[in-house]
Amino acid sequence: MTTRASSSRKGGANRGAAIDTSDAIPLRYGDDPYVWACWLYYEDGMTQGEIADAMGVSRATVNSYLAEAREKGIVQISLEPARLASLTIAQELKRHFGLTDCLVVPSDDNARPLIDRLGVAAAQALPKLLKSGDTLAVAWGRTVLSVGEHADIASLQDMTVVQATGGTTATFSYTPELCAAAIAQSVSARCVNITAPAIVKSSAMREMLLDEPLLQEQFETLARANRVLFGISSLRPNSTIHTSGFFESVSLQHYLAAGAVGVVAGRFIDERGRPVAGPLDDRTIGISLDMLRRIETRILVAGGFDKVPALLAALRGGYANVLITDAATGHGILRADGVTGLDGRLSQKPRVTQAPSSYRTHVKKFLNNPNQVVEEMLDGVVRAHAGYLQPINGSNRALVARNGPRPGKVGLVIGGGTGHEPCFLGYVGKGLADAVAVGNIFSSPPPDPIVQCAAAASGGEGVLFVYGNYAGDVMNFEMAAEIAEEKGIKVRTVLTTDDIASSPVEDREGRRGVAGNFFIFKIAGAACDRGLPLEACEAVTRKANLRTYTVGVALEPCSMPQTRRHNFEIGPDDMEIGMGIHGEPGVTRERIKSSDEITDSIMDNIFKEMKAASGDRVAVLINSFGGTPMMELYILFRRVAQRLEAKNIRIEANWIGHYCTSLDMVGASISILHLDQELTELLHHPCETAFLRIS
Amino acid sequence: MSENAVRRLIAMFEAISAAVETEKDHLSELDGAIGDADHGTTMSLGFLAVKAELAKIDVDGAQPADVMATAAGAFLNAVGASTGPLYATAFRRAAQALAGANELDLGTTAAMIDAIGSGIRERGKGQRGDKTMLDAWLPAADAAGAALTDNKASTEFWSEVVAAAEAGANATRSMVAAKGRAARVRERSLGHVDPGAASAVVVLRAMASVLS
């Protein structure tokens, strides 16, 4: 039988020879006609007709074997994931918005800036979109300029490029004039500029200018455009619209209030893509939205999450029929428009149809009344650590250090949500924090207990507030500071922002505060205890914050006592580098690696920012998020110490354990405090608290 | 008259609290998608505290502004988080807008809605399009102003206010969060209605049910 099958493979030589299928399956395929059919088709390259002959079945049967084999997962066709995702997204964008064409750049690496990648992609697409003799209108923006910089198309003749809007002052590199010129050069076109400002002082001025024969001629060229290339600006604070100074901010506020979400060729549109009327309309010289929409090929090149609402608006309004973007943005647009079911198609992981019967949805916890966990915990805390702290006015939500506050000393008040124990209350005591305000789980305390802390901590020389940079904490502590000031207590605030993964270095002030709090509180407490004045305490605390670098890695999510469910998910083989202490996403979610590889990637990030020289000293904190045992923390520390040693950076002091947790999250963070003489002395200053004692 | 307005405002807060109780789980679910799944609980805690505190108020001696000021204090101390200061500031501004008023005519009502919106904006330092409760409150305030200018009757006034808030809240689906914890999830916030905007709609609907 085996010979029979193998001879038939060669071009189906034994065509027509009737055989019994059940006997005909060569042994190596077991009893499975699917495997046999697939082997002949995919490996031996036979046609379905030849396979039918070889197997002695009909062609239709072969066809259904092959189809079922794919469904059953006997055969899996794999495309490189990033490419598959971008193709799927492009196809879906094209279908969903009725586009003529759509090109999606894979979001596989961030090695090159997005604007460059979009420029390259559009440059490659342009030859397919343009024909000799075309008139191409060109709007302005960073992305459009990038297209011009990357495109070089020699094959086109008799091209005209026309600037789509009036001009601007050349305070930035992507003016309408420069964009048009760059594109014109790259397609060897004649360039027609609109020789008037994009925005003039009054509508009368606009009328007068448009009456000029020269401008009329330029607008006639613009009206002949059969292609247009444009980008889009969002109205977010850091968008081109704001940074270019192109529009006055007063007018911008008007458009924002009227619901504008984006700007296309200098015109504002709302979330449905409808034009938004405003004070600049009859002072703007350039293509109108109606003119734009009448152009045959309308190529929109843009990417970035900030632009998603604007892009969605432009697509809804029909301003573009060719879209060039990146996979992440494309995916965002589809999700924003409620397209579901895409996620399943973006990866080829085998689908899990049924959860195993042992699958559990709830996490076990020691609980009495889930709504009373914070109160019950605080009752325990106050009993356990009565030697260090006590309630203020009978409330466990505001705790003051025994022997902490004293006349003439600046008071240190810390605080935040619960679920991070021993943060924050574990650091209250002589030589460290004077008082702590306690909120609900992962949730800031209200101003009242904070004010009580301020009053209790005050020794007449002012109070320093130090807490993590989270919107809720900032609002409540700010309100508390206002009230305390009204009561005659001088308050200064330092927000901790040590999580270097939470925002790029340019947005340092937007970073969140995590386990590095430990060092920052220690320095602040020591400064206060030494009797330094408020300003000096604030200054050295700021310095400590600036020199503290933390990166966390989460392996498993945490679960809330009220729900006993995970409050986010991490895949079975994944980890998230840079995750915050409430489960906020970090830099990357990737497959879990060896401990040393993880440590190295964290330390590389820290070294990138910490400019430590050979011989410098640091303090190291290896902190568990709650679920990671000491054993693993020491493994992390081992590698951290090796890395520091290799750079000849000395570890002045180290702490390993649970210092700032996230309930039962599995994971850890590494914090490094880059010491100098002053910080070293303050670090060694004695303190007595429940979780940190230095004598 | 004053007594009437005070009673109506108290009834309004009772209606808000009842509506929030009904929607509590739904709001927490919305929050679970982009935040820490506690928005329903937080709103419920806040308005239950407001209701309890208003039960103690001297209805005959109080002014409408007192109701708002009491609500502000109660909400703030019950909640914390970010919702606390936002609504507390909102009600405090509303109390200022109601200062001296004895009646709740549409002019006063529009001023109150406007004050709530601007209070939230000041405290949260946000704007429209940030995917927050402002995306419901600010359009609602605009609609109230417009309805007032057009001399709309009370029923129409409120239906336009609520419709504007609903449209605003729905629009947050296509926004990327710029404020609060949801801002940390960046693009993952796309496609989800902001829980704060959704709860603003719940609050406004309850206000309409009593005041229209």
Side-chain angles (χ1 to χ4, degrees):
Chain A
M1 279 187 291
T2 319
T3 31
R4 157 79 193 71
S6 59
S7 67
S8 75
R9 271 202 275 141
K10 307 292 176 218
N14 292 4
R15 192 177 301 264
I19 43 164
D20 182 325
T21 16
S22 60
D23 290 343
I25 301 178
L27 279 177
R28 64 177 178 278
Y29 303 119
D31 259 346
D32 198 335
Y34 295 96
V35 178
W36 188 17
C38 288
W39 187 270
L40 298 180
Y41 187 75
Y42 293 105
E43 288 297 319
D44 290 351
M46 289 168 71
T47 65
Q48 294 189 17
E50 290 164 355
I51 299 168
D53 289 343
M55 294 179 70
V57 297
S58 74
R59 203 173 165 282
T61 306
V62 172
N63 190 283
S64 74
Y65 281 164
L66 293 174
E68 276 184 57
R70 279 200 62 188
E71 274 174 29
K72 290 182 171 179
I74 295 169
V75 166
Q76 293 182 357
I77 296 177
S78 80
L79 278 168
E80 193 214 328
R83 278 169 216 284
L84 172 81
S86 61
L87 280 174
T88 310
I89 291 163
Q91 196 180 29
E92 191 60 29
L93 283 166
K94 191 177 160 192
R95 191 194 63 74
H96 188 74
F97 294 103
L99 300 173
T100 317
D101 219 329
C102 180
L103 175 62
V104 173
V105 193
S107 302
D108 47 357
D109 60 65
N110 287 318
R112 299 177 64 189
L114 179 59
I115 287 198
D116 282 356
R117 290 191 288 137
L118 290 171
V120 170
Q124 285 166 354
L126 277 185
K128 298 186 195 83
L129 298 166
L130 301 179
K131 289 196 176 69
S132 290
D134 278 350
T135 299
L136 172 65
V138 172
W140 60 279
R142 281 180 249 239
T143 319
V144 171
L145 184 65
S146 168
V147 178
E149 284 167 348
H150 290 99
D152 186 13
I153 307 164
S155 58
L156 296 169
Q157 294 174 20
D158 307 319
M159 294 288 297
T160 306
V161 160
V162 54
Q163 193 178 317
T165 67
T168 65
T169 54
T171 51
F172 45 94
S173 63
Y174 42 86
T175 61
E177 296 87 340
L178 290 172
C179 288
I183 299 282
Q185 198 185 2
S186 65
V187 299
S188 319
R190 178 172 76 97
C191 187
V192 177
N193 292 107
I194 302 282
T195 51
I199 294 176
V200 292
K201 271 186 173 172
S202 65
S203 61
M205 177 58 78
R206 175 174 178 270
E207 297 307 317
M208 279 170 63
L209 283 170
L210 290 181
D211 207 33
E212 286 290 331
L214 177 69
L215 270 170
Q216 283 182 352
E217 196 188 305
Q218 292 163 354
F219 266 84
E220 275 161 27
T221 311
L222 183 55
R224 275 198 304 275
N226 61 340
R227 325 269 182 220
V228 59
L229 174 70
F230 62 104
I232 198 160
S233 177
S234 78
L235 290 171
R236 307 285 291 241
N238 56 353
S239 65
T240 302
I241 285 303
H242 291 270
T243 52
S244 68
F246 189 75
F247 297 103
E248 312 131 19
S249 66
V250 182
S251 306
L252 277 183
Q253 288 307 317
H254 171 98
Y255 286 102
L256 272 173
V261 300
V263 183
V264 174
R267 309 284 179 174
F268 293 80
I269 55 173
D270 72 7
E271 53 141 358
R272 313 288 330 168
R274 293 170 298 216
V276 175
L280 295 175
D281 298 0
D282 57 2
R283 291 167 44 202
T284 302
I285 294 181
I287 194 166
S288 70
L289 288 171
D290 279 340
M291 276 172 80
L292 173 71
R293 225 169 354 194
R294 282 197 298 269
I295 295 175
E296 186 190 326
T297 307
R298 308 180 295 280
I299 310 157
L300 169 53
V301 192
F305 300 126
D306 286 358
K307 296 194 177 189
V308 167
L311 275 164
L312 178 57
L315 292 169
R316 283 170 169 170
Y319 298 108
N321 58 5
V322 175
L323 173 67
I324 299 171
T325 188
D326 65 292
T329 308
H331 192 198
I333 295 169
L334 288 167
R335 264 201 297 183
D337 210 28
V339 177
T340 52
L342 193 65
D343 295 329
R345 280 185 280 148
L346 291 183
S347 64
Q348 291 187 316
K349 286 177 193 158
R351 274 162 244 158
V352 179
T353 47
Q354 228 181 332
S357 56
S358 63
Y359 184 77
R360 281 190 292 150
T361 55
H362 290 81
V363 174
K364 293 176 202 157
K365 287 180 185 289
F366 293 108
L367 288 174
N368 298 309
N369 176 353
N371 293 322
Q372 289 295 317
V373 279
V374 176
E375 300 309 334
E376 291 182 3
M377 170 189 78
L378 290 174
D379 190 27
V381 164
V382 169
R383 289 166 193 272
H385 304 311
Y388 303 101
L389 45 77
Q390 59 189 338
I392 303 172
N393 301 330
S395 163
N396 288 347
R397 296 297 186 129
L399 304 168
V400 63
R402 282 189 201 276
N403 315 321
R406 61 173 192 266
K409 182 183 104 65
V410 171
L412 174 62
V413 173
I414 60 174
T418 41
H420 305 304
E421 293 67 33
C423 241
F424 301 85
L425 42 82
Y427 307 120
V428 174
K430 180 159 172 41
L432 227 158
D434 292 297
V436 60
V438 186
N440 286 328
I441 297 174
F442 292 175
S443 168
S444 165
D448 186 50
I450 305 172
V451 173
Q452 293 196 35
C453 285
S458 170
E461 292 302 315
V463 169
L464 185 63
F465 284 2
V466 184
Y467 55 93
N469 183 26
Y470 297 91
D473 293 280
V474 170
M475 284 190 274
N476 285 286
F477 275 87
E478 270 182 5
M479 289 182 88
E482 288 164 22
I483 300 169
E485 296 267 0
E486 281 166 21
K487 293 178 186 256
I489 302 168
K490 199 171 170 195
V491 177
R492 290 295 179 90
T493 295
V494 178
L495 294 175
T496 65
T497 55
D498 58 301
D499 186 349
I500 64 170
S502 55
S503 259
V505 69
E506 304 85 63
D507 182 30
R508 213 176 193 294
E509 291 182 357
R511 288 175 173 176
R512 54 202 178 214
V514 287
N517 275 332
F518 172 83
F519 288 135
I520 303 160
F521 294 160
K522 174 70 192 73
I523 299 299
C528 293
D529 197 48
R530 286 190 161 195
L532 299 183
L534 183 57
E535 286 68 26
C537 292
E538 182 195 353
V540 73
T541 307
R542 275 189 203 289
K543 179 163 82 172
N545 179 52
L546 281 172
R547 293 171 74 104
T548 302
Y549 308 86
T550 302
V551 178
V553 176
L555 307 181
E556 301 285 355
C558 57
S559 51
M560 309 292 280
Q562 275 106 339
T563 58
R564 293 194 290 129
R565 288 170 191 276
H566 292 156
N567 75 336
F568 57 94
E569 290 302 338
I570 299 178
D573 303 316
D574 298 341
M575 63 172 177
E576 180 136 343
I577 293 195
M579 180 163 270
I581 52 176
H582 312 96
E584 303 95 330
V587 198
T588 51
R589 186 167 284 204
E590 50 193 73
R591 287 182 81 83
I592 190 164
K593 292 182 284 199
S594 74
S595 177
D596 282 0
E597 283 173 300
I598 297 170
T599 311
D600 282 346
S601 103
I602 293 175
M603 292 309 289
D604 290 345
N605 273 318
I606 291 177
F607 287 138
K608 220 182 280 174
E609 287 205 17
M610 181 176 73
K611 304 281 176 260
S614 170
D616 280 5
R617 286 177 297 177
V618 295
V620 177
L621 172 70
I622 311 291
N623 168 59
S624 167
F625 282 154
T628 291
M630 293 295 289
M631 174 183 267
E632 291 164 40
L633 300 183
Y634 284 117
I635 295 174
L636 292 172
F637 178 72
R638 162 188 162 275
R639 183 64 187 162
V640 170
Q642 287 173 351
R643 291 294 306 267
L644 290 168
E645 194 175 46
K647 288 186 184 291
N648 193 30
I649 298 170
R650 217 180 92 203
I651 299 179
E652 176 77 20
N654 54 248
W655 286 271
I656 292 144
H658 293 58
Y659 288 92
C660 181
T661 59
S662 186
L663 293 167
D664 54 352
M665 193 193 292
V666 177
S669 63
I670 297 173
S671 302
I672 309 279
L673 167 60
H674 186 191
L675 292 163
D676 61 7
Q677 191 53 40
E678 183 185 27
L679 294 175
T680 307
E681 284 168 20
L682 292 171
L683 187 70
H684 291 309
H685 183 83
C687 68
E688 270 180 63
T689 70
F691 281 83
L692 180 64
R693 281 180 290 277
I694 293 176
S695 50
Chain B
M1 274 303 140
S2 160
E3 180 191 286
N4 194 13
V6 167
R7 282 185 203 282
R8 284 172 74 201
L9 280 178
I10 293 175
M12 175 188 91
F13 277 111
E14 281 166 358
I16 294 173
S17 178
V20 167
E21 286 310 301
T22 317
E23 296 291 324
K24 187 168 136 181
D25 292 342
H26 174 60
L27 292 174
S28 285
E29 245 169 65
L30 285 179
D31 194 23
I34 58 176
D36 49 7
D38 67 353
H39 186 65
T41 320
T42 310
M43 290 291 283
S44 151
L45 268 177
F47 283 106
L48 284 174
V50 169
K51 201 171 83 165
E53 204 58 36
L54 287 179
K56 300 179 199 157
I57 213 167
D58 167 19
V59 179
D60 298 320
Q63 296 287 310
D66 301 333
V67 177
M68 280 294 168
T70 306
F75 199 99
L76 184 60
N77 285 321
V79 172
S82 47
T83 317
L86 291 171
Y87 271 110
T89 310
F91 296 150
R92 200 165 288 167
R93 293 281 174 280
Q96 287 161 3
L98 291 180
N102 287 320
E103 280 184 67
L104 268 188
D105 54 22
L106 287 186
T108 322
T109 309
M112 176 175 82
I113 298 173
D114 189 62
I116 292 174
S118 45
I120 295 169
R121 186 173 50 198
E122 282 163 33
R123 182 58 66 189
K125 301 184 182 79
Q127 62 179 15
R128 256 192 218 195
D130 286 348
K131 196 180 182 111
T132 66
M133 55 176 82
L134 283 175
D135 289 307
W137 278 109
L138 296 182
D142 287 352
L148 188 69
T149 316
D150 299 346
N151 278 318
K152 294 281 167 71
S154 177
T155 325
E156 259 183 290
F157 172 97
W158 276 106
S159 69
E160 281 169 22
V161 168
V162 170
E166 286 168 346
N170 282 331
T172 61
R173 203 183 284 279
S174 63
M175 294 174 187
V176 184
K179 294 274 168 189
R181 205 164 281 160
R184 306 291 191 193
V185 305
R186 285 166 57 87
E187 78 283 2
R188 292 189 214 170
S189 68
L190 281 170
H192 298 285
V193 170
D194 177 65
S199 69
V201 171
V202 172
V203 169
L204 276 159
R205 277 190 196 139
M207 288 170 74
S209 74
V210 173
L211 300 182
S212 74

